[in-house]
Amino acid sequence: MTAVSDTLTRSVEDYLKAIYRLSSDIRPASTSEIAQHLALAPASVSGMIKRLSEQGLLEHERYRGVQLTPEGRRVALRMLRRHRLIESYLVAALGYSWDTVHDEAERLEHAVSDDLVERMADALGNPRVDPHGDPIPSPDGSVPETVEVALTDMEPGHSARIHRVRTREPEFLRHLADLGLIPGAHITLRDRRPFLGPITVETDQATHVVGHELAAALLCAEEES
Amino acid sequence: MTAVSDTLTRSVEDYLKAIYRLSSDIRPASTSEIAQHLALAPASVSGMIKRLSEQGLLEHERYRGVQLTPEGRRVALRMLRRHRLIESYLVAALGYSWDTVHDEAERLEHAVSDDLVERMADALGNPRVDPHGDPIPSPDGSVPETVEVALTDMEPGHSARIHRVRTREPEFLRHLADLGLIPGAHITLRDRRPFLGPITVETDQATHVVGHELAAALLCAEEES
DNA sequence: TTCTGAGTTTAGGCTCGCCTAACTTATGAC
DNA sequence: GTCATAAGTTAGGCGAGCCTAAACTCAGAA
Ligand SMILES: [Mn+2]
Ligand SMILES: [Mn+2]
Ligand SMILES: [Mn+2]
Ligand SMILES: [Mn+2]
């Protein structure tokens, strides 16, 4: 029983996670995208792609990009579960703040055993989302689907609950927390200026005018007003 | 501020830990000892020794062995603190048993940040020994000295408290726990047969006749009877 | 005092994972 | 339809970290 996942290096695990994020059923991930995401030279990525497709972890169409095989996806989701549970555990059990957990999890995800991950999950009561609102894949690799809309795509006057925050930058995360724009917060879109202009959003505590980029990072579930 | 410890690989950290264990002020660690301890070929160890002595982490006298420099010792003690605190945390916070924590700690020690280690220490109230009774070096690298004697070196009739258990083998550890021979246990040596013969030891619960090897793994602090 | 064998080192080879430089392919502007 | 250019691939190199095989060192036995 030498499962593929027993022999994977840290690099390989991070490649597969990156490709999972960057590709979809309809769109492969390009070499340069992957290189950018992992801060590597495109040539290095080409080399790794060759190895991983020979190992059956991804499908490569030359000059077109890559997609994960079912096996590759399995590994990616396993890493994602680890990463997000570790983040959750650090926040809930060790007093970390949501802007500092990512780097720690990025390393620990490769070092923990399945046993440890499940113990952390149990200790937390098997949470379904991590501190940033990202869904935690189940051990069998299923990811709960949710209907989410970016704050930039909502209509003025509509209300919603913030589900998820799409950034890992500590400064950005601290700023969002300062504004009360965190997962679970109830908000109403008050105004939206055209041409990527500022957005006025009301929380239960205050009203903020924020930039388009910030608003685009907030994924929300719309609610009846 | 590029401290040496920022650029060390997992391998290097494990080498330094091994050399810390195998050498003393009066006795260097030999190539073959290190190779044995890390399950590597002696030739591989020779190569690494060359690199590490060039980096100033150890002193090498050709054909004689190695000793840590102060810098090398600093790194080794930092790893030992990590290892033992991780073991302690896994047992105290996540329900691990003392026979299963070692392998997990052996990997995690290389992945955790100083911040995380100190958070775990705080969560546990800064313990001074790990689940096996091994002392946890302080952040500044000092190790509490204790007077310990192996059960095999005690005189019949004398009483003691078990301080420390010198093994990492899960089966051995489970057996010791079954017999109640764990750190903190109060014991009295009843009989000691010559020529590495069996040893009769009495705990507060029962009396056991154990082999010499087992008794040699129990480090005790003698008490007045 | 020589010799021999255990222990140590060197030499050479391998994979992984990265790099830069040079080349190849696909694409879309014309 | 050509062709410039962006994107992708190949070629070659390097360090880390391991290996085996061969050469060397040294201490103790003869
Ligand atoms: Mn990672
Ligand atoms: Mn997250
Ligand atoms: Mn280790
Ligand atoms: Mn221990």
Side-chain angles (χ1 to χ4, degrees):
Chain A
M1 75 142 206
T2 302
V4 173
S5 56
D6 288 348
T7 56
L8 301 178
T9 64
R10 170 171 181 174
S11 273
V12 168
E13 291 174 340
D14 281 337
Y15 269 97
L16 293 174
K17 238 180 6 151
I19 294 165
Y20 178 85
R21 297 219 175 177
L22 296 171
S23 65
S24 70
D25 288 342
I26 53 169
R27 213 184 69 83
S30 73
T31 299
S32 50
E33 271 177 329
I34 300 167
Q36 171 113 40
H37 192 87
L38 296 176
L40 298 174
S44 307
V45 174
S46 274
M48 182 63 91
I49 283 173
K50 200 175 168 200
R51 265 186 49 213
L52 296 185
S53 46
E54 280 162 4
Q55 281 183 48
L57 292 164
L58 34 92
E59 303 273 11
H60 181 213
E61 204 170 339
R62 285 181 94 235
Y63 293 98
R64 286 302 169 79
V66 295
Q67 289 194 305
L68 296 174
T69 60
E71 180 65 19
R73 183 172 298 106
R74 241 204 62 244
V75 174
L77 286 166
R78 177 159 163 270
M79 296 313 295
L80 230 42
R81 174 171 173 80
R82 286 164 169 240
H83 185 102
R84 292 175 182 170
L85 274 171
I86 290 165
E87 286 188 345
S88 303
Y89 187 85
L90 293 177
V91 168
L94 286 165
Y96 273 77
S97 60
W98 77 335
D99 57 302
T100 56
V101 284
H102 181 76
D103 290 350
E104 196 82 46
E106 198 59 55
R107 281 176 282 105
L108 287 172
E109 64 189 0
H110 311 288
V112 296
S113 67
D114 284 340
D115 182 28
L116 176 49
V117 175
E118 298 316 319
R119 281 176 193 262
M120 291 190 299
D122 287 347
L124 301 182
N126 295 290
R128 293 203 321 274
V129 296
D130 82 1
H132 312 103
D134 294 316
I136 297 174
S138 67
D140 63 46
S142 62
V143 192
E145 290 288 326
T146 53
V147 181
E148 287 165 341
V149 56
L151 183 53
T152 46
D153 295 334
M154 278 175 51
E155 294 304 321
H158 285 206
S159 289
R161 203 162 286 279
I162 297 179
H163 252 195
R164 197 169 169 183
V165 167
R166 204 158 40 170
T167 179
R168 251 149 275 129
E169 295 169 43
E171 307 223 334
F172 197 169
L173 287 167
R174 279 196 295 276
H175 182 57
L176 290 174
D178 287 345
L179 300 182
L181 299 173
I182 59 177
H186 178 257
I187 57 167
T188 304
L189 179 60
R190 283 304 169 205
D191 187 39
R192 193 179 70 177
R193 310 271 75 202
F195 300 110
L196 309 182
I199 277 149
T200 305
V201 60
E202 185 183 315
T203 71
D204 291 347
Q205 279 78 41
T207 298
H208 304 292
V209 182
V210 301
H212 185 274
E213 198 199 348
L214 187 154
L218 299 177
L219 300 185
C220 309
E222 295 208 52
E223 292 180 342
E224 300 306 309
S225 41
Chain B
M1 77 143 207
T2 303
V4 173
S5 57
D6 288 348
T7 55
L8 302 178
T9 64
R10 170 170 181 174
S11 272
V12 168
E13 290 175 341
D14 281 337
Y15 270 96
L16 293 174
K17 240 183 359 154
I19 293 165
Y20 179 84
R21 298 217 173 177
L22 297 172
S23 65
S24 70
D25 289 342
I26 53 167
R27 213 184 69 83
S30 74
T31 299
S32 51
E33 271 178 330
I34 300 167
Q36 171 114 40
H37 192 87
L38 296 175
L40 299 174
S44 307
V45 174
S46 274
M48 182 63 91
I49 283 174
K50 201 176 168 200
R51 264 186 50 214
L52 297 184
S53 46
E54 280 162 5
Q55 281 182 49
L57 291 163
L58 36 90
E59 305 273 10
H60 181 213
E61 205 171 339
R62 288 182 90 233
Y63 291 98
R64 287 301 169 80
V66 294
Q67 286 192 306
L68 296 174
T69 60
E71 179 64 19
R73 184 173 297 106
R74 242 205 61 244
V75 174
L77 286 165
R78 178 160 162 269
M79 296 313 295
L80 230 41
R81 174 171 173 80
R82 286 164 169 240
H83 186 101
R84 292 176 180 170
L85 272 171
I86 289 165
E87 286 188 345
S88 304
Y89 187 85
L90 293 176
V91 168
L94 286 165
Y96 273 77
S97 60
W98 78 336
D99 56 302
T100 56
V101 285
H102 182 77
D103 290 350
E104 195 83 45
E106 198 58 55
R107 283 177 280 104
L108 287 172
E109 63 189 0
H110 311 287
V112 295
S113 67
D114 284 340
D115 183 28
L116 176 50
V117 175
E118 298 316 318
R119 280 176 193 263
M120 291 190 299
D122 288 348
L124 300 182
N126 296 291
R128 294 204 319 275
V129 296
D130 82 0
H132 312 103
D134 295 315
I136 297 174
S138 67
D140 63 47
S142 61
V143 192
E145 290 289 327
T146 52
V147 181
E148 288 165 339
V149 56
L151 182 54
T152 45
D153 295 334
M154 278 175 52
E155 294 303 321
H158 285 205
S159 288
R161 203 163 286 279
I162 297 179
H163 253 196
R164 199 167 168 183
V165 169
R166 206 156 40 168
T167 179
R168 252 149 275 126
E169 292 168 47
E171 306 224 334
F172 197 168
L173 287 167
R174 278 195 296 276
H175 182 57
L176 290 174
D178 286 346
L179 300 183
L181 299 173
I182 58 177
H186 177 258
I187 56 167
T188 304
L189 179 58
R190 285 301 171 208
D191 187 40
R192 194 179 68 177
R193 310 270 77 203
F195 302 108
L196 309 182
I199 277 149
T200 305
V201 59
E202 184 182 316
T203 70
D204 292 347
Q205 279 78 42
T207 299
H208 305 291
V209 182
V210 301
H212 186 274
E213 198 199 349
L214 187 154
L218 300 177
L219 300 185
C220 309
E222 294 207 54
E223 292 180 342
E224 301 305 309
S225 39

